[in-house]
Amino acid sequence: MYFDAHKIILDGFAVRDGAHIIKIKDKMRITDYIVYMYDETNVDIPKGIDFWTSSLFTDEANKLFLKVYGK
């Protein structure tokens, strides 16, 4: 899941603890802040790879997200 961190901060839900990039204070309605969600149905596995690992999936999803939504 990819979130609109800027909106989370502006709406007052973010706290910083020095360990996390962003952390949520109390709770928030998650659907208001999701930019996009990826799963194995919308991320192509690289050629020559037989199965996903969590790290490989994260890397490929991040690449796709930046290609679509990056600056």
Side-chain angles (χ1 to χ4, degrees):
M1 287 186 249
Y2 294 81
F3 298 93
D4 186 338
H6 189 64
K7 183 176 180 190
I8 292 169
I9 293 166
L10 289 175
D11 289 351
F13 289 111
V15 293
R16 309 227 180 203
D17 65 2
H20 300 90
I21 294 170
I22 190 171
K23 199 171 178 179
I24 303 305
K25 179 181 178 184
D26 298 320
K27 51 186 161 178
M28 67 178 198
R29 186 181 176 106
I30 196 170
T31 55
D32 293 343
Y33 300 94
I34 292 176
V35 174
Y36 200 79
M37 295 190 317
Y38 291 105
D39 62 30
E40 72 282 354
T41 66
N42 52 16
V43 177
D44 294 329
I45 194 163
K47 292 180 182 174
I49 303 294
D50 296 325
F51 57 90
W52 285 116
T53 64
S54 55
S55 295
L56 179 61
F57 180 81
T58 299
D59 290 345
E60 294 302 312
N62 285 341
K63 287 178 195 174
L64 184 57
F65 182 83
L66 289 174
K67 183 178 178 181
V68 174
Y69 294 97
K71 294 180 180 184

